[in-house]
Amino acid sequence: MPSASDSLIEDIEDMVSSGDPTPHERQSARKNIMPRSRKRKDTLVYLPFLCSLIPGTQKVWMKTWGCSHNSSDGEYMAGQLAASGYKMTEADVWLLNSCTVKNPAEDHFRNSIKKAQDQQKKVVVAGCVPQAQPRMDYLKGLSIIGVQQIDRVVEVVDEAVKGHSVRLLGQKKDGGRKLGGARLDLPKIRKNPLIEIISINTGCLNACTYCKTKHARGDLASYPIEELVERARQSFQEGVCEIWLTSEDTGAYGRDIGTDLPTLLWKLVEEIPDGAMLRLGMTNPPYILEHLQEMAKVLNHPRVYAFLHVPVQSASDSVLMDMKREYCIDDFKRVVDFLKERVPGVTIATDIICGFPGETEEDFQETVELVKHYQFPSLFINQFYPRPGTPAAKMDQVPAHVKKQRTKELSQVFHSYSPYGHKVGERQHVLVTEESFDTQYYVAHNKFYEQVLVPKRAEFKGKMIEVDVYEAGKHFMKGKPVEDSTPFTPSISAPLLKGEVSGLKQVNAQITMALQNHYVNANLLMEEHECALKFVFDIFRQQTVTAFLHI
């Protein structure tokens, strides 16, 4: 039997015999070939499982604790997640936005983490607690969004969905100077479509011995006036009729960028439509003293609430010194007396801490006398809680039962007077923006930001109406609409729907164009299986969101 090497082929062309079809004949023959369809196995049955792993297809539940600054951060994070495809509802992923001011708030935060973990939920944490104490044992393995990194919430949640732990805690800087934080024109979902919360600066210039927020928010960093004015302008174009300015200390605004609070306020007033209102946030006494003349003028403006929140914390100079509050009680009185004289009817709200380390009974009674003298209509009474890592936590503590008794005594003083009884019978213009907790009334506010409950009639929501005050309680008045008056609409456009994302109209055209360029035939895939489309879109979604956030 001949071996394979007996017949050698010297040239590869020798493999083709004269009877074989030529290349041209083979090409022609292909036209007569009928393709035979092969039944494809249905691999899509597994895609619902894949969807639970694909970022942007999940539901996110969000909880926010704390101040209006934190609330604004939460609205921005919710808006970015919704804009990128996440549904903001009960959920596969829990986003917990924390507050570090007092122990109870952190306890609620810690308990929520445990509850989520017990239910096998993915957990992402944000806010002041993880920013100030990222190495806490109960935060191990969790993804963290720093207070200046909220514009990257989509990235962090995406990675958490994939099972990764990401921590973004850095500060935003420009040429070495700390910035106010994330951009103000990011998508957001307003908790109340009628109210826009704008953070004008972050951090502060103080070093209060009891404050943990300073550890999280850091030193003062202000947003430029033009960015704040543009944010207000956009908000009014989206149907907002009330703006809240917030920060850790609004009075210190602009000191780091060569401007000041009154300058900002006058620029914002120019943008407020008739009937809409501006509410100023908390300011500490030291930084408002030099602006009292201008602040009085601003608070008298018809489109600005005659309301100011000025925390005193204690009426004892000794305690204020231990707190490192950088003012004495006479400074606080000067602020209050001046504004009461120049802004008739002005509402001054304040905060008091009971039982600060070293507070004597004499110190406490000075605070009691201050409350009796001014009869603050809005008073936030807080029992002292030592926050870990603060100087006050290392001081000699007032016994717990004494702190509790002083808190109770001051609360009794506060409830001993009626701040609104003399206003029964007045006729007032009020702006209706909210629903009462018991859902029985709408909540409105008069020029002095005093709460007035009005009948729950749909035509009143978001309107300026005229009412006759017929009843007064400790924290509210009740108003009867004047029959021959017509509700006035301050909004220059219809407000967004509840849960609708703010800020998307500006980029709708860009996103639509991108979708058309990248996925012309996407609708065909949608018909086959919606989840498959989401799978294909995942990479593009991340690219689009990233591009939007950097426009």
Side-chain angles (χ1 to χ4, degrees):
M1 184 174 181
S3 67
S5 60
D6 289 344
S7 178
L8 295 176
I9 300 176
E10 296 181 356
D11 194 306
I12 193 169
E13 293 181 358
D14 292 341
M15 294 180 65
V16 183
S17 70
S18 60
D20 290 334
T22 66
H24 181 267
E25 291 171 335
R26 283 198 301 270
Q27 181 66 29
S28 299
R30 289 182 181 178
K31 298 177 182 179
N32 299 321
I33 296 175
M34 297 294 294
R36 183 176 60 185
S37 63
R38 181 173 59 186
K39 189 171 182 180
R40 178 172 54 87
K41 291 183 179 180
D42 188 3
T43 58
L44 294 178
V45 294
Y46 301 103
L47 284 174
F49 168 74
L50 288 176
C51 279
S52 67
L53 304 177
I54 301 170
T57 64
Q58 287 80 10
K59 299 174 182 177
V60 177
W61 181 73
M62 185 171 184
K63 171 72 175 176
T64 293
W65 292 266
C67 64
S68 55
H69 191 166
N70 227 33
S71 297
S72 177
D73 287 352
E75 291 180 351
Y76 274 121
M77 288 190 283
Q80 292 170 84
L81 289 168
S84 68
Y86 288 97
K87 294 181 174 61
M88 305 306 296
T89 183
E90 279 291 340
D92 313 296
V93 183
W94 284 23
L95 174 54
L96 305 174
N97 188 22
S98 62
C99 171
T100 192
V101 172
K102 294 187 288 186
N103 290 5
E106 183 173 349
D107 290 342
H108 286 303
F109 171 62
R110 184 190 300 110
N111 292 337
S112 295
I113 291 174
K114 186 178 185 305
K115 182 178 179 181
Q117 292 172 330
D118 290 344
Q119 297 180 23
Q120 305 299 310
K121 305 290 187 181
K122 305 284 188 181
V123 181
V124 177
V125 294
C128 291
V129 171
Q131 179 72 52
Q133 299 172 282
R135 294 182 178 85
M136 294 289 287
D137 287 342
Y138 68 90
L139 298 178
K140 285 183 178 178
L142 300 182
S143 290
I144 296 177
I145 304 165
V147 294
Q148 285 211 320
Q149 300 294 327
I150 61 172
D151 55 339
R152 301 181 67 183
V153 62
V154 175
E155 299 172 53
V156 177
V157 172
D158 281 354
E159 292 304 314
V161 167
K162 298 172 186 175
H164 303 154
S165 177
V166 179
R167 297 190 166 202
L168 302 179
L169 295 165
Q171 292 186 345
K172 295 190 180 300
K173 295 184 177 181
D174 181 16
R177 182 180 66 84
K178 179 186 173 186
L179 299 178
R183 282 171 36 194
L184 295 174
D185 60 350
L186 294 170
K188 73 186 303 186
I189 296 178
R190 298 185 184 95
K191 183 178 179 181
N192 184 337
L194 297 173
I195 298 175
E196 168 70 4
I197 306 172
I198 303 179
S199 171
I200 63 174
N201 55 267
T202 189
C204 68
L205 295 172
N206 295 340
C208 300
T209 56
Y210 57 83
C211 182
K212 190 71 177 177
T213 305
K214 176 76 172 187
H215 297 190
R217 299 284 181 177
D219 293 328
L220 177 69
S222 305
Y223 284 98
I225 288 180
E226 57 271 19
E227 292 183 18
L228 295 166
V229 170
E230 180 56 33
R231 181 65 203 178
R233 187 180 295 124
Q234 177 191 331
S235 301
F236 290 127
Q237 290 170 351
E238 293 177 335
V240 162
C241 61
E242 186 170 290
I243 283 184
W244 298 356
L245 301 185
T246 184
S247 77
E248 283 65 57
D249 188 352
T250 58
Y253 170 80
R255 286 175 172 255
D256 57 320
I257 58 173
T259 186
D260 55 43
L261 181 62
T263 301
L264 169 65
L265 294 177
W266 287 123
K267 290 291 185 181
L268 288 171
V269 163
E270 295 175 5
E271 303 295 331
I272 304 174
D274 287 339
M277 298 296 290
L278 174 71
R279 191 193 82 174
L280 186 59
M282 186 273 287
T283 174
N284 284 310
Y287 307 111
I288 206 68
L289 277 169
E290 64 187 77
H291 301 307
L292 285 178
Q293 294 277 358
E294 282 302 301
M295 288 304 301
K297 294 178 184 177
V298 171
L299 294 176
N300 274 312
H301 194 283
R303 297 194 292 275
V304 178
Y305 285 119
F307 168 89
L308 200 61
H309 180 194
V310 189
V312 64
Q313 305 303 4
S314 174
S316 164
D317 284 340
S318 174
V319 174
L320 291 174
M321 184 177 296
D322 289 340
M323 291 179 172
K324 289 193 175 180
R325 289 291 288 168
E326 300 185 8
Y327 59 87
C328 63
I329 192 59
D330 286 342
D331 292 332
F332 174 81
K333 291 178 178 179
R334 180 184 167 200
V335 171
V336 177
D337 293 342
F338 184 92
L339 292 178
K340 280 183 170 290
E341 178 186 350
R342 302 297 180 90
V343 189
V346 66
T347 296
I348 301 294
T350 195
D351 302 353
I352 289 174
I353 295 174
C354 294
F356 185 81
E359 182 187 64
T360 65
E361 183 62 27
E362 183 181 356
D363 293 330
F364 174 67
Q365 289 305 319
E366 290 180 12
T367 302
V368 171
E369 290 305 313
L370 182 80
V371 173
K372 287 180 178 179
H373 175 73
Y374 285 107
Q375 296 193 352
F376 303 103
S378 182
L379 176 62
F380 304 94
I381 302 171
N382 302 291
Q383 180 177 316
F384 174 75
Y385 290 95
R387 300 297 291 133
T390 61
K394 301 175 182 178
M395 298 177 181
D396 292 335
Q397 303 297 307
V398 173
H401 72 279
V402 175
K403 290 192 290 186
K404 185 175 181 180
Q405 176 57 36
R406 289 176 182 173
T407 303
K408 180 180 179 181
E409 181 180 340
L410 192 60
S411 296
Q412 289 173 342
V413 172
F414 173 61
H415 287 283
S416 68
Y417 56 85
S418 176
Y420 305 128
H422 66 286
K423 298 202 171 190
V424 173
E426 286 186 1
R427 179 164 291 187
Q428 301 179 352
H429 285 91
V430 297
L431 180 60
V432 184
T433 56
E434 304 173 72
E435 185 179 67
S436 62
F437 287 117
D438 62 6
T439 71
Q440 300 303 304
Y441 299 91
Y442 277 152
V443 177
H445 292 92
N446 60 20
K447 162 67 177 172
F448 310 105
Y449 203 69
E450 297 164 334
Q451 185 170 271
V452 181
L453 303 180
V454 300
K456 192 176 177 182
R457 287 160 50 180
E459 65 269 25
F460 290 163
K461 193 70 175 289
K463 305 292 195 300
M464 182 73 76
I465 65 173
E466 194 173 17
V467 299
D468 290 323
V469 177
Y470 65 90
E471 182 181 334
K474 178 61 181 176
H475 302 285
F476 64 88
M477 291 170 274
K478 289 184 179 179
K480 179 182 178 181
V482 176
E483 291 185 4
D484 58 351
S485 66
T486 303
F488 177 76
T489 304
S491 300
I492 60 177
S493 61
L496 301 180
L497 300 176
K498 184 79 171 178
E500 188 174 355
V501 181
S502 160
L504 287 187
K505 293 180 180 179
Q506 302 176 21
V507 294
N508 273 352
Q510 296 173 359
I511 293 177
T512 301
M513 181 67 69
L515 287 171
Q516 291 174 345
N517 291 340
H518 285 77
Y519 297 106
V520 176
N521 297 317
N523 60 318
L524 300 177
L525 186 55
M526 175 67 84
E527 293 176 0
E528 189 166 287
H529 202 288
E530 179 182 1
C531 193
L533 179 61
K534 290 178 179 177
F535 182 79
V536 173
F537 267 43
D538 182 42
I539 295 176
F540 171 68
R541 179 186 66 83
Q542 295 184 42
Q543 293 174 343
T544 302
V545 171
T546 301
F548 167 70
L549 295 179
H550 291 86
I551 293 175

